[in-house]
Amino acid sequence: MAETVTVELFGSLRRHAGGAATVQVEAATIRDLLKGLGAAYPGLAPQLKRGVSVSIDGKIYTEAMFQPISPENEVVLLPRIAGG
Amino acid sequence: MRYESPSTITDAVTLLADEPGMTRVLAGGTDVLVQLRSGMAEPDLVVDIKRINGIYDIAEEAGGYRVGAAVSGAMLDEHAGVKAAWPGIVEAACLVGSTQVHARATLCGNLCNASPAADTVPPMIAAGAIVRIHGPNGDREIPVEQVATGPGKTSLGKGEMIGSVFLPSRPERSGDAYLRFIPRTEMDIAVVGAAVSLSLDGDTIADARVSLGAVAPTALLLEEGAAALIGSTADDAALEKLAALASAACNPINDKRGTIEFRTDVAGVLAKRATKIAFSRAKGAA
Amino acid sequence: MAFDEYDSENRIFNAVGTRPVRPDGIDKVTGRAMFGADMSAPGMLWGAVLRSPHAHARIKSINTSKAEALSQVKGVVTRADFNADADEQDVLDNCMAGEKVLYDGHALAAVAATSRRAAEKALRLIEVEYEVLPHVTDVDEAMQPSAPVLRDVGGDESVPDGLSKNVMSMCEFGHGDIEKGFAEADLVMEKSFKTAAAHQGYIEPHACLASLGADGRGELWVCTQGHFYIRNLCADIIGIDSTQLRVVASEIGGGFGGKTTVFIEPLALALSRKTNRPVKIMMNRSEVFRATGPTSSTSMDIKIGMKKDGTMTAGLAVNRFQGGAYPGAPVDMGAMCSFACYALENVSSVGYDVICNRPKQAAYRAPGSPMAAFAVESVIDMMCQELDLDPVEVRLKNASKEGTKASYGPRWPRIGLIETLEAAKNHPQYSAPLGPNQGRGIACGFWFNHGGETSVSLALSQDGTVALSVGTPDIGGSRASMCLMAAEELGIPYEKVRTTVVDTASLGYNDVSHGSRVTYASGLATIKAARDAKQKLCGRAAKIWGIPEDAVVWEDGMAKPAGHNAGQHEPLSFAELCGDMGQTGGPISGHFEATPEGAGVSFATHLVDAEVDPETGATRVTRYTVCQDAGKAIHPSYVEGQFQGGAAQGIGWALNEEYVYGEDGRLQNAGFLDYRIPVASDLPMIDCEIVEVPNPGHPYGVRGVGETSIVPPLAAIANAVSRAAGVRMTELPMSPPRILKALKDQDG
Amino acid sequence: MQIHVATKINGDETEYLCDPDETLLDVLRDRLGLTGAKEGCGTGDCGACTVTLDGRAVCSCLVLGAEAQGREIGTVEGIAQGEKLHPLQRKMLEHAALQCGICTPGILVAAKNLLEKNPDPTETEVRFWLAGNLCRCTGYDKIIRAIMDAAAEMRGEAA
């Protein structure tokens, strides 16, 4: 059941979302979240296509599309994390 | 490319003289092989001199030592006589590259490669060492400082090769030292090198020779620097004078290894430090 | 409980935490371990690659006819021999240039011949007509609107107006109001920094042996950190189906991030397809430096506000990274890491990804973070000096901890930064006296760590032993750690497990061995696969005893009835159950295929003592201590090895390593002679303090350790050297000429 | 024209043909299948190709194959005696003194050569002897400890 979650955007994405540091999206999973963001803020689409990670309560998810999200979670959008 | 390994100097000279194309003399190989591998040099003939009789000899001669062209740094390091007489030269030979390079690289090869930064050249110049050159027109001898004429260039003619280097005898109470600056503790090419050889009369420097490497197209023999030391007790005033003269004599380049400014400053510092070591060796403290 | 959660604070480990000899050890001390260049095949040809001598040029024509006319030459390939429709166009173009060469060393043709020397000689017969173009190799110059432009497309939507087309993207992180924060400070300090490009410096050059038929079926033997990933890249670039290419990962002679992509592999495959012969290519050292990835060179501005008591009120970082000729410099990671160690109410970190005429950067251990930490930790150290504060206390006062907000957004879960700072403070080095011309530096560092796609298979054998198949190349002893975790979980001896890095036909996809992920992710997968196998073994015991499956438990390497109600049965050992498995239901394997997402972040604090010769600018590191959070050290010796290796690489980067380009845009020091990595006589022993703050995302609490260890050294050494020399060093490497000049400038 | 060479490798009489410009390293690896010596640089700067030539450690990339005529060569493949590892090999494993292992053959050959000349080296002597053997993984710490420990064992001292 999708509820409204608050997502924090990193700085350079904010101007593509009306300048706000946080936006609200209906989402029950990471997949819903990314779909919803892309639909509501087309300016975010290039970054979403390049890849993002999502932090839920401090734990960073890079692949898990079906990871549940609820309104109580702290949700932060990040560039896709890689490593050496 | 042809590879030959003659057993006499005469055969080696004939091979070198008769080859119309490019030739290389192979002793330790630590420079020649790098040139071959990189395509920097594509010789038609390589003459490996290590099968020549006596080429590995270190012989006492007129109170000094004649060092064969294939004698490696490691062999010098194991020779108590040379090490006692010319510790600066032996140390320099053991600064060239790694343990693995010391096992092969030679004084004569270091000289013939004619790099301005060659480690063993300044201490050989300071020692007044003489090389014996064999060629199609016979043998000749020249001081070490007359071998290199510029980066990668020597005064050797077609068909000539160095067969040995002579490290002369020296009075009691003599000492030499070589110091170089490198960014790491090993494995680098000298950014600056400084060699000092001196003899004492009492505690006074009676005779001295100073040489600098990597600060000019060829290693420098610093006669004014030596003059500043002679008559002194390696006191601070003499050392400061030497340092100033050493820096003033520098004609270096800016490159990936160091700047003109750095080389000029450090040449003075190393000349002082090498003098102190040579001085204490001469006094018998080393 | 979620599949990847920490089991218990109070677990007592048997195998984990011990230090057995690694399973591949004897092969590696007797010379029979097979690395990338050690494999040969009947009828094999040798490949060699023609590389651009120009930093930037249009390729007007390539004439290969003279090379092809040589009898020893069996084939030549150029860009036309590759898949024009490849998805990964930048990777293709980096492997084989198209219209332009973009850096000194850029490949533009490859030859296969009957010997390596013949192939190299044939290269000289290839005639190329170039139109030389203006070039740029410095990041700040490349950002200027007047700079030569590499690619006309320009940057993406994030790039502000007024910058060069070489700026590919901009990113920004942070929160709060930095101006307000600076206003609250007693001291505001601003400083600019630069770091040179450093190469990963693995001792093994890239090497591979390829065999590919015209039907698109082939084999590739290669030293790589990720054979599944490069299988997909190669298939894309040469235009075949990925599963028709079977890739075998050889032993790998170091990678550190640099062997996470392809360079010569598609070329060897294309040459093999063209000649119908196996083709081996081995880079020489000069090619490794000129054409494979160093990390970015950078330029950074830092501004920090601090109260007199050491409280940080605001931080601003502007990071400019060049990533070579293609987009992808790790500046987003760097910007996220800038202030990650500190709980700041007001923070902003900005990054610019810039291209220039250098080889495409490749990942290097915690990509982006060491440079960012160098700049920020240097300014903190300057402020500690200015305010006469203890550098450890200031860091403790501001340290990130569970619940504080990271500078890049999220609130931290359980982390171990404070524990590493305490370990440094309590280490004897911190209070040891210093000699003349010596200084002590301290710095902290952070890295995210990574999970990634992971598959393992754990097959039981009738004699009670285990064959564990993993798909993550072992870059630092990970097979030993996998054996330990399997042994721990199954309750059997370490020696009874054999771990093999299997080929791409033998397992599902595995992400690259990067992001400090192997002990975390393949380890987690091993534990889960072992649990899967145990569950099956309990099922067999239940059948044998005629009781329900849930009435059987696994303890001490045996199946036992779960309590009195399950009846009286003699426990069945692992070996007994394995011996009978054919009769009790058939072979047993445990599996795990998933993408674990619980990689715990890792922090470290490093302590360095350095001595500077004021007359020559020479620096010697005299003492070094690493304090790092490993979560749980599976094989402590290899954890220490990661700590020591990261520190040593950091020492090289800080003091001597750099890419030196000439006015002509050519690399001046493409060899180990003048690209000066630390040698044995340069370094002291490196003390290790393993801090263990368990990662809630791993059953045993493991955090990756491979990358964080290179984050603090640049800064810690810069702080030590600056204190020893009495002058602040803001540019890396802190080479002797640079230090001597700084000393003279200060005096003058 | 190829050159015929008769030499002794790890005690075995060996003959081969090589090109005049072919290095000993290439001969060992590509002609004789002794791939324990590694090419890390080809210029004598990394030590991964270290072998002994008449008892001295050398970079086999800086030796021509033709030079080996009548000499004795020792490679990493000759260090263990049958199934018995040399103390240096054993200590390298016990101390976890290798990560990737590419430098290990060269380090073993060089370290063995050191201990034959100097059975009781100081830490500084070991570090300088091995300065031409680059290791990028370990920071050298565990390598030095392993060699010191092996030397102590070979001297009959308890570690």
Side-chain angles (χ1 to χ4, degrees), chain D residues 92-119:
Chain D
M92 288 285 282
L93 294 179
E94 288 173 10
H95 284 264
L98 52 124
Q99 283 174 35
C100 80
I102 194 87
C103 70
T104 308
I107 288 192
L108 283 166
V109 173
K112 179 167 175 277
N113 194 244
L114 167 65
L115 299 188
E116 282 162 5
K117 292 173 198 305
N118 179 0

Side-chain angles (χ1 to χ4, degrees), chain C residues 447-743:
Chain C
W447 186 246
F448 301 94
N449 294 335
H450 185 52
E453 293 165 72
T454 309
S455 309
V456 314
S457 169
L458 184 148
L460 310 189
S461 182
Q462 288 83 347
D463 63 354
T465 63
V466 172
L468 174 63
S469 300
V470 300
T472 41
D474 178 349
I475 54 176
S478 60
R479 277 165 292 190
S481 302
M482 298 306 137
C483 289
L484 282 169
M485 285 185 269
E488 182 73 46
E489 201 57 37
L490 295 169
I492 60 173
Y494 168 80
E495 295 75 20
K496 297 294 178 192
V497 184
R498 165 149 187 164
T499 303
T500 307
V501 179
V502 297
D503 65 55
T504 56
S506 303
L507 274 182
Y509 190 80
N510 275 276
D511 196 357
V512 179
S513 293
H514 71 158
S516 302
R517 77 177 210 90
V518 173
T519 310
Y520 167 70
S522 285
L524 180 147
T526 295
I527 293 165
K528 296 294 173 180
R531 289 180 183 175
D532 183 32
K534 281 197 301 194
Q535 197 173 356
K536 290 170 182 167
L537 288 167
C538 288
R540 300 296 169 88
K543 270 193 193 174
I544 291 168
W545 292 329
I547 63 174
E549 274 189 35
D550 59 7
V552 181
V553 292
W554 190 267
E555 274 176 18
D556 304 326
M558 287 180 279
K560 295 177 181 172
H564 297 300
N565 296 340
Q568 288 291 327
H569 301 285
E570 274 299 298
L572 283 163
S573 73
F574 181 77
E576 286 170 314
L577 288 164
C578 286
D580 291 341
M581 67 186 168
Q583 290 73 49
T584 59
I588 296 174
S589 291
H591 288 276
F592 179 86
E593 290 90 13
T595 306
E597 295 274 30
V601 301
S602 172
F603 289 88
T605 300
H606 288 201
L607 268 178
V608 183
D609 292 355
E611 185 173 318
V612 174
D613 180 341
E615 287 189 311
T616 64
T619 295
R620 198 163 55 92
V621 173
T622 55
R623 194 167 178 184
Y624 204 110
T625 300
V626 176
C627 307
Q628 185 176 324
D629 180 12
K632 175 69 194 173
I634 300 298
H635 191 306
S637 294
Y638 290 106
V639 171
E640 291 163 0
Q642 291 297 320
F643 290 7
Q644 292 165 336
Q649 291 182 355
I651 291 171
W653 195 347
L655 296 180
N656 282 310
E657 295 179 31
E658 64 178 316
Y659 265 49
V660 181
Y661 279 91
E663 291 287 311
D664 57 3
R666 292 190 196 179
L667 184 61
Q668 303 280 301
N669 58 334
F672 279 135
L673 183 60
D674 286 303
Y675 184 88
R676 304 181 194 99
I677 77 171
V679 302
S681 49
D682 291 343
L683 301 182
M685 292 296 186
I686 297 168
D687 273 8
C688 296
E689 294 284 333
I690 301 176
V691 172
E692 293 185 326
V693 176
N695 167 23
H698 184 278
Y700 297 169
V702 166
R703 297 176 192 270
V705 296
E707 293 173 288
T708 304
S709 55
I710 203 173
V711 181
L714 311 189
I717 296 158
N719 292 342
V721 168
S722 298
R723 285 172 181 253
V727 55
R728 180 56 54 175
M729 300 304 298
T730 57
E731 188 170 354
L732 301 186
M734 294 175 284
S735 58
R738 209 166 260 156
I739 290 176
L740 195 62
K741 183 165 191 311
L743 284 166

Side-chain angles (χ1 to χ4, degrees), chain C residues 58 99-100 148-155 165-166 168 355:
Chain C
R58 196 171 304 285
E99 292 172 10
K100 293 207 293 185
V149 170
L150 276 73
R151 294 150 67 104
D152 283 328
V153 277
K165 277 185 172 177
N166 296 329
M168 302 313 289
I355 59 174

Side-chain angles (χ1 to χ4, degrees), chain B residues 11-95:
Chain B
D11 288 350
V13 167
T14 307
L15 282 163
L16 290 167
D18 289 353
E19 169 59 48
M22 186 197 278
T23 61
R24 278 286 185 279
V25 172
L26 177 68
T30 53
D31 289 313
V32 172
L33 269 280
V34 175
Q35 293 169 5
L36 288 181
R37 186 73 191 84
S38 67
M40 273 189 298
E42 290 182 76
D44 301 283
L45 171 68
V46 165
V47 176
D48 181 354
I49 60 171
K50 293 191 294 297
R51 311 264 168 192
I52 293 174
N53 289 329
I55 204 78
Y56 281 108
D57 288 353
I58 302 174
E60 287 188 45
E61 183 180 312
Y65 293 95
R66 180 163 298 283
V67 179
V71 172
S72 66
M75 292 168 73
L76 281 178
D77 192 42
E78 290 160 11
H79 193 283
V82 176
K83 212 174 167 180
W86 296 105
I89 293 175
V90 177
E91 281 166 4
C94 293
L95 287 175

Side-chain angles (χ1 to χ4, degrees), chain C residues 229-490:
Chain C
Y229 178 59
I230 75 158
R231 173 196 69 183
N232 293 1
L233 279 180
C234 287
D236 177 41
I237 288 172
I238 60 171
I240 60 171
D241 292 340
S242 65
T243 49
Q244 294 301 332
L245 179 63
R246 187 176 73 98
V247 183
V248 183
S250 71
E251 293 295 337
I252 173 172
F256 317 112
K259 288 179 183 163
T260 55
T261 184
V262 292
F263 300 101
I264 51 173
E265 297 82 357
L267 281 53
L269 285 161
L271 285 168
S272 178
R273 179 166 59 186
K274 201 155 190 173
T275 58
N276 249 323
R277 305 257 297 259
V279 174
K280 173 145 112 181
I281 299 183
M282 180 186 180
M283 279 193 183
N284 62 37
R285 180 54 54 181
S286 162
E287 291 180 281
V288 173
F289 278 114
R290 288 168 70 205
T292 71
T295 188
S296 292
S297 64
T298 73
S299 164
M300 296 166 287
D301 308 322
I302 305 297
K303 184 175 177 183
I304 295 176
M306 194 180 277
K307 290 192 171 167
K308 278 180 185 155
D309 68 354
T311 306
M312 289 161 67
T313 58
L316 169 66
V318 179
N319 304 281
R320 298 169 290 269
F321 287 21
Q322 68 75 24
Y326 304 88
V331 72
D332 47 354
M333 302 290 132
M336 290 162 81
C337 293
S338 292
F339 290 103
C341 292
Y342 303 106
L344 291 173
E345 279 180 32
N346 309 292
V347 59
S348 171
S349 187
V350 177
Y352 296 92
D353 176 9
V354 184
I355 59 174
C356 68
N357 297 109
R358 291 175 179 238
K360 176 173 167 51
Q361 66 81 35
Y364 182 19
R365 255 184 154 147
S369 192
M371 307 82 128
F374 161 60
V376 168
E377 295 284 313
S378 289
V379 174
I380 293 173
D381 196 57
M382 293 166 70
M383 299 179 89
C384 291
Q385 285 180 297
E386 180 84 18
L387 295 171
D388 198 21
L389 297 169
D390 180 280
V392 170
E393 295 301 338
V394 166
R395 285 171 172 84
L396 279 168
K397 195 180 210 46
N398 295 285
S400 294
K401 57 190 178 206
E402 186 169 1
T404 67
K405 190 171 170 62
S407 56
Y408 60 85
R411 288 194 183 277
W412 293 110
R414 192 171 173 195
I415 56 174
L417 173 59
I418 286 175
E419 287 82 350
T420 68
L421 277 160
E422 296 285 357
K425 193 168 121 182
N426 295 330
H427 191 280
Q429 185 182 348
Y430 196 61
S431 45
L434 288 167
N437 299 315
Q438 293 186 342
R440 178 162 297 139
I442 182 169
C444 299
F446 158 80
W447 186 246
F448 301 94
N449 294 335
H450 185 52
E453 293 165 72
T454 309
S455 309
V456 314
S457 169
L458 184 148
L460 310 189
S461 182
Q462 288 83 347
D463 63 354
T465 63
V466 172
L468 174 63
S469 300
V470 300
T472 41
D474 178 349
I475 54 176
S478 60
R479 277 165 292 190
S481 302
M482 298 306 137
C483 289
L484 282 169
M485 285 185 269
E488 182 73 46
E489 201 57 37
L490 295 169

